[in-house]
Amino acid sequence: MAFEKNKIRFKNSLLNRLAENAVKSIKNSEFCSAVQELFCTAFCIYVYFLLCYIVLVLTKAEGENHMTSAQIIIVVTIVLYLAAMVLVGVYFGKKGSGSSSDDFYLGGRKMGPIVTAMSAEASDMSSYLLMGLPGLAYLCGLPEVTWTAIGLAIGTYLNWLIVARRLRRYSAKLGAITIPDFFARRFGDKKHLLSCIAAVVILIFFIPYTASGFKAIGTLFNSLFGVEYHTAMIVGGIVVVLYTVMGGFMAVSFTDLIQSIVMSMALIAVLVYGVSVAGGWDVVLDNARSLPGYLTMAASHNVADNSATSYSMLDIASTLAWGLGYFGMPHILLRFMAIEDEKKLVLSRRIASVWVVIAMTASIVIGVVGLGMTKAGALEFLSGSSSETLIVRVASLIAQHGVLAAILAGLILAGILAATMSTADSQMLAAASSVSQNILQEFGHMKLTERQSLFAARLTIICVSVVGVVLARDPNSSVFGIVSFAWAGFGGAYGAVMLCALFWKRCNWQGALAGMLVGGLMVFVWKYLVSPLGGVFGIYELLPAFLISLLVCVVVSLVTPAPSKEIEAEFEAAK
């Protein structure tokens, strides 16, 4: 009797009610569960640490010191952090189960507003928030990174304001559960040509995204533990492939909420410590003011010769164009489709927009503070791509101040590692589902068995990871640079087409297909053929790709037959 009463009390507890409000239902597929995925993640990263330590021992010369006590505490903290994620998975994995496609891809469209907002932004702001933005601010000052952040902030707000509600309503009306599926159903593409091209776009541009994750992993462990870059990156790639293949095809959005909290803690801790070590905020500002073009919004600092380079209106428009990428990001758009009630998107928009502004501001300020730490002698000067290890270096300094400080440093690095690896995981899964479902079965009309479909998906994961490792093989490459290309790819191929699909009734499948192909192709053409010409052509490839995609989509739609009455009726019904 007492047991039953306690059981009832637990069911009515604050934790249980919070879970029900935050995530109404996190579904398990027939083949795998959230618990399995998280367990495999934690176990494989533990193996990763073990392998890296073995490599470190074997490559150290006799008599050299190995891992310090602070480094050991950092490793233990990261492993315990991942174990905590397993417990979260156990709890929320028991909240419900289901095997339908809607459950599998979108959690039954029952995501709460807080989780919807923070999972979208945590998956968006991965390694480039904690590595790319601070590194760029450290070297070049405010102009490029600040205008980029402003563009991203505006894009985030407009995406939630304009796209989110319409896409949630329209996708539910059509029964679409993925972005390629939405395009096919929206335009009545029964031959699945449009969904095939959309799937190929996902495959092409998620590969460099995955490469940026591998690059971040290799850089992190090379700078922290001294493991050779390529070894750390390859072992990390193998681990990601292992837990992706073993863990299965379900993303646990509640862990993204926790991840965003850890990322916020990391930013605050690094910022407070950095200002203290640099000698105070006034000293940091005095140092930044002494550098030509460092704190102005109309010039960029050139670290090579300590000079300032003017930042034109065209440069500003180019960097602001980062915001256009949000309209074509598959992993963000899926969050809009998954929320339980479109009315709750207002709360999600406010939470997401505020968090993004605060997080990016803190990240940029950390770059400025980091240069102040270098001026104060606490950090060596970080040139080139090594500037992206700024937060890693600061975490190493924090770890030298005792056990609690080392634990805090471990949490900071756990935030970078978990965000990076979970993002790479999600991207490879998206590519795998695109090949297995959209290309082979829908477009190719291949009747695959359950086992054959899973084999095709797993083979795709392996192929994507191999290409990703090859792309990230240069230790001097930039996480920010790799991400910017992939971001331009999705924004150029999907962005304008998505807006036309949602808000222009006359848009047809021919226009959408042409816009998608031309936009994706223009990213490559501008990046590698036009941009090297310099001058007015040296702008971010996303801007011309988006504009040309929009123009082509509109023109081709107007010169080809209008959509059928049935498609137009669906468009009106989804308003």
Side-chain angles (χ1 to χ4, degrees):
M1 188 68 179
F3 174 77
E4 291 297 327
K5 288 182 178 179
N6 289 332
K7 185 176 180 181
I8 292 172
R9 290 194 189 100
F10 172 75
K11 287 183 176 180
N12 293 322
S13 67
L14 178 61
L15 178 60
N16 197 52
R17 279 179 285 158
L18 175 62
E20 290 174 351
N21 290 330
V23 184
K24 293 292 184 181
S25 180
I26 293 182
K27 305 294 187 179
N28 300 324
S29 72
E30 183 179 351
F31 308 105
C32 59
S33 66
V35 180
Q36 183 183 4
E37 180 176 351
L38 286 168
F39 176 79
C40 290
T41 303
F43 175 75
C44 288
I45 292 181
Y46 170 77
V47 172
Y48 176 57
F49 276 117
L50 182 61
L51 290 174
C52 283
Y53 181 66
I54 291 173
V55 170
L56 187 63
V57 170
L58 293 177
T59 55
K60 286 283 187 180
E62 184 177 356
E64 287 190 21
N65 293 327
H66 299 299
M67 291 183 70
T68 64
S69 58
Q71 290 175 329
I72 293 173
I73 293 173
I74 289 173
V75 171
V76 171
T77 301
I78 295 176
V79 172
L80 289 177
Y81 170 83
L82 294 169
M85 293 299 97
V86 173
L87 295 179
V88 171
V90 169
Y91 181 77
F92 288 99
K94 292 179 179 179
K95 297 300 296 180
S97 61
S99 57
S100 71
S101 296
D102 197 47
D103 292 335
F104 185 74
Y105 290 108
L106 297 177
R109 299 185 195 269
K110 296 179 180 178
M111 296 286 291
I114 297 176
V115 175
T116 298
M118 297 312 298
S119 64
E121 301 316 316
S123 61
D124 168 27
M125 300 286 174
S126 56
S127 57
Y128 82 86
L129 176 69
L130 299 176
M131 299 182 78
L133 292 182
L136 188 59
Y138 178 91
L139 286 180
C140 303
L142 296 185
E144 182 176 356
V145 69
T146 303
W147 286 118
T148 298
I150 292 172
L152 290 172
I154 295 173
T156 297
Y157 182 79
L158 292 178
N159 205 26
W160 283 95
L161 179 67
I162 298 173
V163 175
R165 185 187 298 271
R166 176 69 169 163
L167 181 58
R168 169 63 175 86
R169 186 180 301 173
Y170 210 159
S171 62
K173 183 74 176 177
L174 297 174
I177 56 176
T178 66
I179 300 304
D181 187 32
F182 170 75
F183 283 131
R185 292 172 185 260
R186 159 64 178 88
F187 296 107
D189 178 25
K190 296 181 179 179
K191 294 182 179 180
H192 297 287
L193 178 61
L194 195 56
S195 63
C196 175
I197 298 300
V200 170
V201 169
I202 287 178
L203 187 63
I204 291 174
F205 290 110
F206 265 152
I207 288 176
Y209 245 133
T210 304
S212 72
F214 293 159
K215 159 72 172 121
I217 294 169
T219 300
L220 192 154
F221 285 95
N222 172 257
S223 60
L224 185 63
F225 299 112
V227 180
E228 199 272 329
Y229 170 79
H230 294 96
T231 302
M233 182 187 64
I234 292 172
V235 173
I238 292 172
V239 169
V240 173
V241 169
L242 282 176
Y243 82 70
T244 302
V245 170
M246 293 167 59
F249 301 90
M250 179 181 179
V252 186
S253 293
F254 193 84
T255 59
D256 286 338
L257 171 62
I258 297 176
Q259 187 58 51
S260 65
I261 296 172
V262 174
M263 291 165 68
S264 301
M265 290 172 53
L267 290 170
I268 293 171
V270 170
L271 187 57
V272 172
Y273 177 80
V275 171
S276 175
V277 171
W281 183 244
D282 291 338
V283 175
V284 170
L285 287 180
D286 289 341
N287 175 64
R289 290 192 190 102
S290 67
L291 301 174
Y294 198 85
L295 290 183
T296 67
M297 296 293 286
S300 180
H301 178 66
N302 189 339
V303 69
D305 55 7
N306 194 33
S307 63
T309 304
S310 63
Y311 213 69
S312 67
M313 290 301 297
L314 185 61
D315 293 326
I316 293 173
S318 174
T319 49
L320 284 174
W322 272 78
L324 297 174
Y326 275 107
F327 301 128
M329 293 296 127
H331 53 297
I332 298 175
L333 297 174
L334 283 174
R335 264 63 176 193
F336 300 160
M337 296 165 62
I339 195 166
E340 60 177 340
D341 184 356
E342 64 180 61
K343 295 179 181 178
K344 295 183 178 180
L345 284 167
V346 175
L347 176 59
S348 296
R349 180 180 73 238
R350 292 169 181 168
I351 294 172
S353 300
V354 170
W355 187 84
V356 162
V357 170
I358 294 174
M360 288 193 298
T361 300
S363 182
I364 293 170
V365 174
I366 284 173
V368 177
V369 171
L371 191 63
M373 295 176 67
T374 296
K375 185 75 171 180
L379 277 178
E380 73 274 20
F381 180 74
L382 305 175
S383 61
S385 62
S386 65
S387 64
E388 294 182 339
T389 66
L390 174 60
I391 289 184
V392 178
R393 305 295 179 95
V394 175
S396 299
L397 293 177
I398 293 174
Q400 298 174 9
H401 295 276
V403 175
L404 292 179
I407 292 174
L408 176 60
L411 286 174
I412 293 170
L413 298 173
I416 299 175
L417 179 64
T420 300
M421 298 186 83
S422 65
T423 300
D425 168 21
S426 299
Q427 290 158 353
M428 286 194 293
L429 290 175
S433 64
S434 296
V435 171
S436 177
Q437 184 68 28
N438 300 115
I439 297 178
L440 296 181
Q441 297 188 64
E442 293 180 355
F443 179 73
H445 303 291
M446 297 178 62
K447 295 183 178 180
L448 302 180
T449 65
E450 199 171 85
R451 180 173 297 180
Q452 289 171 333
S453 179
L454 285 174
F455 175 78
R458 287 166 176 160
L459 183 61
T460 302
I461 290 171
I462 294 173
C463 293
V464 167
S465 65
V466 169
V467 178
V469 167
V470 172
L471 290 178
R473 67 188 182 278
D474 181 8
N476 295 318
S477 61
S478 166
V479 170
F480 189 87
I482 297 173
V483 170
S484 71
F485 178 73
W487 189 270
F490 283 118
Y494 277 175
V497 174
M498 176 60 71
L499 292 176
C500 289
L502 292 175
F503 300 106
W504 188 34
K505 184 168 63 175
R506 182 61 176 79
C507 185
N508 58 22
W509 73 266
Q510 295 97 326
L513 180 62
M516 197 177 296
L517 286 172
V518 171
L521 181 62
M522 183 55 61
V523 172
F524 286 94
V525 172
W526 201 277
K527 171 76 173 178
Y528 296 106
L529 297 179
V530 179
S531 185
L533 297 176
V536 295
F537 299 107
I539 60 176
Y540 184 30
E541 57 270 19
L542 172 54
L543 181 58
F546 182 92
L547 294 177
I548 293 174
S549 173
L550 178 61
L551 178 64
V552 169
C553 183
V554 171
V555 171
V556 173
S557 293
L558 291 175
V559 300
T560 51
S564 66
K565 298 296 182 182
E566 181 183 353
I567 293 176
E568 290 184 347
E570 289 176 344
F571 182 91
E572 293 295 335
K575 281 187 175 179

